[in-house]
Amino acid sequence: MNFHLLRHALMALIVGTLVACTTTKQQHDPSPVPELQPHGGGAAARPPLATNTPTKSRWVAVDWSELPGVQQDSFSEAWNAWIKNCERPNTVFAGLCREVRQLSIADEDAQRSWLMEKLQPYRLEAVGGGPDGLLTSYYEPMFDAQRIPGNGYNVPLYQTPLGLGKRKPWYTRQQIETLPEAQAALAGRAIAWLRDPVDALILHIQGSGRLNITEPDGRQHLIRVAFAGTNDQPYKSVGRWLLDQGLVRDATWPGISAWIAANPGRVNEMLWSNPRYVFFREEPLEGLDAAFGPKGAQGVALTPGRSIAVDRNSIPYGTPVWLSSPGPTVALNRLVFAQDTGSAILGAVRADFFMGWGQEAGDLAGRVKQNLRLWALWPRSQVGQAPHLK
């Protein structure tokens, strides 16, 4: 396995073991949220009465001056995410969408002034805890692929098999790759073929990805493979398996890459330690669609650098959120939108930041695990559904 593939292997293992990124409708290895520190002062508020009523957080009304970097953020960049947000808005925010669209051609000062006039910031805190939480990041992988196998492209990405629901759970990852009856159920169901099984595992972990696919006639173009279902087997982290087997001391790049390079005959054993298998559907990727990520749990396309996954029991989908994180990997003070979720994204002050797609985004996303503070931005006009001060 060459260095390029090892770098991708690192991303899969870090995502599965250390940062526990979310994906669109995909399951991930849980990563514990750090214990929140007690926080004094401020008037705690009950959560908003929205479609998805939060129960894990308390909302503390604050002044806009508390939000770090609010005068420096590029609101014109954030507005693309807000327009996407308005394709399937939370009912509380639907009334703002007409003005949001009108302001898409306004300057940033006008957008900032409108935001401050229309929305009230609420600092998010854990019930009985404080304002500090955890930020991780996720991304959309991008690989070369072929429509038919051959020339080293021998790892399939499958559509859902016929009769998937008749057997629950379905075959494990190892059984899918070795049992004739599982292979028969998947015959003719391959969307595309990759060169390396570790690349396929990354797509399974992230839940979607972009493929630069070569058709039988030699034509190349981009497609997206999006999450379509699983075999209903439990997710197990391959990084955790390496640690438990004593094969690496920690799931970091040097140890993992050295182990894979030294043990090519055991790569399948490592991969089979995760019985969960993901099936995909193909989506076209052209024009303006290529500028956005896959659809999140809210049902709208994710915007790189402006979409986050959250615990829906803390923040309702579609809520504008002010995010602040000092680093060390990347310092962020910006307007984002709660548009996705994931099984590892749990807690009042917990977010997974959508970095974008491709190797550069993946390399950066895999290193993000840092302190976080969040402020939910709620319409001032929705006093009947806004958090109420105790």
Side-chain angles (χ1 to χ4, degrees):
M1 186 177 294
N2 63 29
F3 181 75
H4 172 73
L5 296 177
L6 289 176
R7 293 185 71 181
H8 286 307
L10 166 67
M11 289 310 306
L13 298 171
I14 287 181
V15 167
T17 306
L18 299 180
V19 302
C21 299
T22 187
T23 69
T24 308
K25 304 178 184 66
Q26 172 61 331
Q27 303 297 313
H28 286 276
D29 187 32
S31 179
V33 178
E35 182 178 353
L36 301 178
Q37 299 301 311
H39 176 71
R46 291 196 299 274
L49 303 175
T51 303
N52 302 312
T53 304
T55 59
K56 291 186 176 180
S57 60
R58 63 175 185 172
W59 293 33
V60 181
V62 300
D63 188 81
W64 275 93
S65 61
E66 180 177 299
L67 280 56
V70 73
Q71 297 296 331
Q72 288 74 47
D73 189 26
S74 177
F75 282 89
S76 61
E77 293 178 5
W79 232 255
N80 288 328
W82 201 327
I83 291 173
K84 282 290 180 185
N85 214 49
C86 284
E87 292 179 3
R88 294 191 65 180
N90 183 310
T91 54
V92 173
F93 294 94
L96 298 176
C97 284
R98 179 173 176 271
E99 294 178 66
V100 167
R101 295 187 180 98
Q102 291 174 340
L103 283 164
S104 64
I105 58 174
D107 61 38
E108 291 187 353
D109 287 338
Q111 292 169 340
R112 184 180 292 105
S113 295
W114 179 87
L115 199 74
M116 293 180 174
E117 175 189 350
K118 297 291 185 179
L119 302 179
Q120 167 65 47
Y122 290 88
R123 183 175 63 245
L124 268 67
E125 299 181 356
V127 176
D132 295 303
L134 175 67
L135 179 70
T136 53
S137 181
Y138 66 121
Y139 77 113
E140 187 177 26
M142 185 162 62
F143 300 119
D144 291 333
Q146 287 188 176
R147 188 67 75 178
I148 58 176
N151 300 320
Y153 291 82
N154 297 307
V155 181
L157 297 175
Y158 286 118
Q159 304 174 58
T160 53
L162 299 175
L164 176 65
K166 296 179 180 179
R167 176 189 174 116
K168 287 193 174 184
W170 213 62
Y171 301 100
T172 66
R173 177 179 297 272
Q174 181 175 2
Q175 290 169 337
I176 286 170
E177 296 179 0
T178 58
L179 291 183
E181 55 266 36
Q183 289 288 300
L186 291 165
R189 306 293 290 173
I191 296 173
W193 300 78
L194 302 180
R195 285 181 294 194
D196 192 87
V198 175
D199 288 350
L201 182 66
I202 294 172
L203 287 171
H204 286 210
I205 291 173
Q206 293 294 329
S208 71
R210 297 177 175 220
L211 300 181
N212 181 26
I213 195 165
T214 301
E215 301 288 355
D217 60 5
R219 178 173 53 93
Q220 292 185 329
H221 62 111
L222 281 176
I223 66 169
R224 172 175 284 129
V225 284
F227 179 88
T230 76
N231 58 351
D232 291 313
Q233 296 284 348
Y235 174 80
K236 301 291 185 181
S237 165
V238 294
R240 172 54 56 189
W241 179 83
L242 287 169
L243 291 170
D244 291 345
Q245 297 290 315
L247 301 175
V248 295
R249 292 190 176 183
D250 58 2
T252 60
W253 163 235
I256 293 170
S257 61
W259 184 87
I260 294 174
N263 299 275
R266 298 192 68 184
V267 170
N268 273 343
E269 184 183 357
M270 177 190 73
L271 298 177
W272 289 344
S273 69
N274 174 29
R276 171 158 294 210
Y277 199 92
V278 171
F279 304 106
F280 299 93
R281 65 177 182 273
E282 179 177 341
E283 296 179 350
L285 193 61
E286 54 190 23
L288 291 177
D289 290 340
F292 294 91
K295 289 184 178 180
Q298 182 188 347
V300 302
L302 304 177
T303 302
R306 297 292 175 171
S307 296
I308 58 172
V310 297
D311 186 336
R312 63 181 301 178
N313 291 312
S314 177
I315 307 174
Y317 293 150
T319 301
V321 176
W322 192 262
L323 180 151
S324 180
S325 181
T329 301
V330 56
L332 297 168
N333 291 300
R334 59 176 54 195
L335 176 64
V336 295
F337 294 83
Q339 297 174 328
D340 205 1
T341 194
S343 64
I345 311 306
L346 301 172
V349 192
R350 179 72 173 94
D352 213 16
F353 181 81
F354 180 61
M355 193 68 71
W357 46 82
Q359 182 176 323
E360 184 177 352
D363 289 346
L364 186 59
R367 300 197 305 271
V368 174
K369 190 175 184 182
Q370 53 198 50
N371 190 65
L372 171 70
R373 291 194 176 189
L374 297 173
W375 291 260
L377 308 179
W378 205 253
R380 297 183 191 273
S381 62
Q382 299 291 332
V383 292
Q385 300 191 63
H388 299 285
L389 298 178
K390 289 184 177 179

